[in-house]
Amino acid sequence: MIGRLAHVARSRPPAALWRDFWDSARPRPAAASYAAWIEQVERPALPSPEAMRTAIAGFRVRPRISIVMPVYNTPKPYLEAALASIRAQAYPDWELCLTDDASSAPHIAPMLDALVREEPRVRLHRRTQNGGIVGASNDALALATGDWLTLIDHDDAIPPHALYALVAALNADPQTDFLYSDEDKITVRGERYEPFFKPDWSPETLEACMYTAHLALYRRDIVARIGGFRAECEGAQDYDFVLRYTEHARRVRHVPQVLYHWRAIPGSTAQAMDNKGYVVAAAVRALEDRARRTGGLDSVRPTAFAGSFHLRRPLTERPLVSIVIPTAGRDSEVRGRTVDLLAACLASIRERSRYENLEIVAVDNGDLRPSTRAALEQFGARSVTWDQPVFNVAAKMNLGARAARGAVLVFLNDDIEVISPDWIEAMLALLQIPGVGAVGPKLLFETGELQHVGVTVIDATPDHPRRSYPREDPGHFFSTAGNRNYLAVTGACVMVRRSEFEAIQGFDEGFAVNYNDVDLCLRLRERGLRSVYCAEVELYHYESRNRARTVAADEQARFRARWAETIPRDPYYSEWFEALPPTFELDPARF
């Protein structure tokens, strides 16, 4: 024990050891509770029945909503709860389109018969042979007469204000084509848990997992256009349905309220995707077809976490990629030995990258050592010199971009080491998607812990979610495991098209050290371009070994002045999550 303590003492500066010791002695807030969130946030915000009736009377848009529900041998208590939750809706303009898929359970037929007698808004179809969930869902879909559709499973439930909340959002933006809400799970005892506070519309996230799920509204005319549910995707038919539907939806709206409760019973998908292995295979087929419809298929493969996927399209072209590396040409200790950071970075690029049409431009300070210059020559890199007396990494990257020849630019720190051989191809495949402006990879600390999986911007403060979590961390509903949209990605490794980079005049050199990368992504966003975290690509990042990790007050003030009002909230990160640091977990200081 004493030997281990002595090793720790030698490996860390005294100030850092003291700071860690002091932090460990501070009282920590108790783990956040979803029950506390329900009591403090959801319950006080619930509209009263009177308020909903008044609002509904004033709605300019009052569509009939067709609720599509296939039924098959549902346990009586859960079917009763599902049907009761629909009949309790404050919004009255709905119809329930039921298909009994030849249920053999004796309670199903009398329950549904009684429901039809009691409730004129119920439309029932009975199959004489079991058709599976796709056949039953399509039969229920054929009963629909409403302008909008929603899907509810036969053992789940929705709160009384669910349809009201969606129609209220539709009235706020009648041009919307697709609405989806947040959701949670509910135990057999009725206890709610595992909330999914979803991001706003995220096309690349949808191709990594079925994140929109329930509760959602779909225009029936678009549904007619795409043709309902497909038998070849049985088990993941909802995912396939949404993938096809969103290809025709021009305006998508996220309603950030928990409006759906998945019933977690033994064997259900809500309890664990692993319970239904065929669902994963069906989802792969749905994504393969999605890729073929939207740019071609290279590959689709499940991640290590059932329910998330890596979809990659083939490269439509293989442009010259210019890797721009600002460098001070310094040594640092990596894995217990002293290395020339730039030389090691160049070696990893040339020795491990498969992509051949690339050039490397290093931007130095004019004082590289002969050994480092030899490494530049050895690995076929050019260099340009930043000859100003002040440190300005944004200006150095702009200088490198001007010297580069590629149609695609990758800005890379000199303390990066390549892990994934196809890192350039994977990022290029995302960059070529219309609407994508910046792509960044998964970056790992030397220890293997997460350093970068995207950037949040909360209260005008950029930060890295799940920083220092284990390498194998799946994230919040696959936020680490799969590709995901964020407001920004880090400039330690970011890929952009030269044309877009030049259109916004490159990096803002007023951010000499920090935030120039986030500012770049946000200015691309102003042009309608998304940033994407590429989960397939892993690189080591030794985290700016050659400078302290601080943010100057003037850069913080400059960033806040530019973006605080423009981005009052992060659309990809719920306001209920812990902000500093961003963990994708409920804030323990509040809940």
Side-chain angles (χ1 to χ4, degrees):
M1 178 69 175
I2 293 175
R4 285 207 308 270
L5 289 173
H7 172 74
V8 170
R10 289 193 301 270
S11 66
R12 303 285 306 283
L17 289 170
W18 175 251
R19 185 170 57 251
D20 288 350
F21 172 78
W22 181 254
D23 287 345
S24 70
R26 292 176 177 166
R28 299 187 181 278
S33 161
Y34 183 42
W37 179 89
I38 292 171
E39 288 300 317
Q40 296 175 35
V41 176
E42 182 183 74
R43 198 175 302 280
L46 290 177
S48 68
E50 296 78 11
M52 287 190 282
R53 281 195 293 269
T54 301
I56 291 167
F59 281 168
R60 291 175 299 159
V61 179
R62 280 192 57 165
R64 176 183 299 169
I65 297 175
S66 297
I67 302 168
V68 174
M69 179 186 287
V71 175
Y72 179 70
N73 285 347
T74 321
K76 185 176 181 180
Y78 308 140
L79 181 56
E80 285 178 336
L83 298 175
S85 75
I86 292 169
R87 298 184 72 184
Q89 289 303 297
Y91 183 75
D93 300 334
W94 55 264
E95 64 178 6
L96 176 56
C97 303
L98 288 168
T99 293
D100 178 6
D101 194 18
S103 295
S104 57
H107 64 275
I108 297 293
M111 277 185 68
L112 298 185
D113 286 340
L115 179 66
V116 170
R117 288 194 299 270
E118 297 168 6
E119 177 56 74
R121 292 172 291 184
V122 173
R123 301 165 66 85
L124 174 62
H125 172 75
R126 283 197 168 95
R127 293 183 61 94
T128 56
Q129 292 183 330
N130 182 268
I133 192 167
V134 167
S137 296
N138 280 333
D139 285 347
L141 195 62
L143 300 174
T145 64
D147 292 330
W148 289 83
L149 306 172
T150 192
L151 315 176
I152 299 179
D153 291 346
H154 60 164
D155 51 2
D156 296 336
I158 58 176
H161 65 292
L163 298 184
Y164 162 80
L166 293 179
V167 176
L170 187 59
N171 273 266
D173 186 1
Q175 301 305 310
T176 301
D177 294 320
F178 177 42
L179 301 92
Y180 64 94
S181 76
D182 295 341
E183 62 191 59
D184 64 12
K185 295 176 183 175
I186 189 169
T187 68
V188 293
R189 295 181 299 275
E191 299 163 344
R192 292 170 56 189
Y193 72 105
E194 202 169 286
F196 185 7
F197 298 116
K198 301 172 187 176
D200 287 357
W201 176 230
S202 306
E204 283 66 51
T205 306
L206 184 63
E207 293 185 341
C209 66
M210 169 47 157
Y211 90 88
T212 59
H214 297 291
L215 190 63
L217 280 187
Y218 308 88
R219 288 189 184 272
R220 191 158 65 97
D221 59 341
I222 296 180
V223 173
R225 199 181 312 163
I226 67 172
F229 301 97
R230 298 196 302 156
E232 54 266 46
C233 294
E234 175 97 26
Q237 70 287 332
D238 288 8
Y239 192 15
D240 173 66
F241 180 84
V242 170
L243 288 169
R244 289 181 291 121
Y245 183 92
T246 52
E247 291 165 22
H248 299 269
R250 294 163 300 175
R251 293 172 71 90
V252 179
R253 185 181 179 98
H254 169 218
V255 180
Q257 301 178 47
V258 178
L259 303 181
Y260 196 90
H261 310 307
W262 288 74
R263 183 81 60 181
I265 58 178
S268 71
T269 307
Q271 190 178 63
M273 178 72 77
D274 293 327
N275 287 331
K276 296 185 177 180
Y278 73 93
V279 174
V280 174
V284 168
R285 286 193 292 274
L287 286 165
E288 288 174 342
D289 288 347
R290 157 76 157 209
R292 294 186 184 102
R293 291 190 305 269
T294 59
L297 171 65
D298 183 334
S299 63
V300 174
R301 55 189 177 87
T303 73
F305 306 97
S308 65
F309 307 89
H310 292 315
L311 180 156
R312 191 186 300 186
R313 296 172 176 82
L315 298 181
T316 56
E317 57 181 347
R318 301 181 73 86
L320 176 63
V321 174
S322 297
I323 302 175
V324 176
I325 307 175
T327 183
R330 300 289 183 260
D331 290 341
S332 186
E333 185 176 299
V334 177
R335 301 189 184 93
R337 64 187 184 90
T338 300
V339 300
D340 181 325
L341 285 175
L342 179 59
C345 179
L346 295 173
S348 76
I349 293 171
R350 290 302 191 188
E351 293 170 1
R352 298 179 191 169
S353 303
R354 293 178 185 162
Y355 196 82
E356 295 181 352
N357 193 19
L358 61 82
E359 67 168 0
I360 304 173
V361 178
V363 187
D364 60 52
N365 297 329
D367 57 355
L368 292 183
R369 294 162 298 178
S371 59
T372 306
R373 291 208 167 275
L376 286 170
E377 183 175 349
Q378 176 186 355
F379 296 112
R382 295 187 289 119
S383 67
V384 293
T385 297
W386 168 251
D387 58 4
Q388 300 301 308
V390 295
F391 181 85
N392 191 314
V393 70
K396 289 179 73 172
M397 291 188 289
N398 285 340
L399 175 63
R402 290 193 295 271
R405 301 187 299 264
V408 172
L409 304 172
V410 174
F411 296 96
L412 194 72
N413 279 21
D414 66 358
D415 55 355
I416 292 285
E417 179 184 338
V418 173
I419 300 173
S420 303
D422 59 346
W423 66 291
I424 292 177
E425 292 93 328
M427 293 170 69
L428 269 177
L430 287 170
L431 190 69
Q432 73 182 6
I433 297 173
V436 172
V439 180
K442 178 186 294 184
L443 297 180
L444 305 173
F445 286 118
E446 177 183 337
T447 59
E449 296 171 325
L450 299 179
Q451 190 271 332
H452 169 265
V453 293
V455 175
T456 60
V457 181
I458 305 163
D459 189 26
T461 304
D463 206 348
H464 289 200
R466 311 287 277 195
R467 185 186 180 95
S468 296
Y469 276 59
R471 181 178 188 171
E472 299 79 14
D473 169 57
H476 176 71
F477 287 86
F478 313 120
S479 64
T480 303
N483 297 341
R484 186 181 176 92
N485 296 104
Y486 280 97
L487 280 175
V489 290
T490 181
C493 179
V494 57
M495 177 182 283
V496 297
R497 286 181 289 273
R498 173 186 289 280
S499 59
E500 299 292 352
F501 181 79
E502 291 180 346
I504 61 171
Q505 299 181 329
F507 291 100
D508 182 342
E509 297 178 10
F511 295 107
V513 181
N514 294 287
Y515 296 164
N516 44 64
D517 49 357
V518 181
D519 175 78
L520 180 88
C521 292
L522 294 181
R523 286 185 288 122
L524 288 171
R525 183 173 182 265
E526 288 185 322
R527 290 176 57 81
L529 299 172
R530 307 182 294 276
S531 292
V532 185
Y533 152 65
C534 180
E536 280 190 278
V537 170
E538 292 186 336
L539 310 175
Y540 283 116
H541 182 204
Y542 302 125
E543 185 59 7
S544 303
R545 292 280 190 163
N546 51 356
R547 68 176 178 85
R549 190 171 170 266
T550 59
V551 179
D554 63 324
E555 288 185 314
Q556 290 177 325
R558 180 184 177 88
F559 188 87
R560 178 172 292 277
R562 175 173 290 178
W563 297 112
E565 292 186 10
T566 305
I567 304 178
R569 55 175 286 271
D570 190 321
Y572 305 110
Y573 189 85
S574 173
E575 62 180 310
W576 312 122
F577 291 141
E578 189 174 19
L580 297 173
T583 59
F584 275 105
E585 297 172 0
L586 282 172
D587 187 348
R590 290 186 287 171
F591 313 115

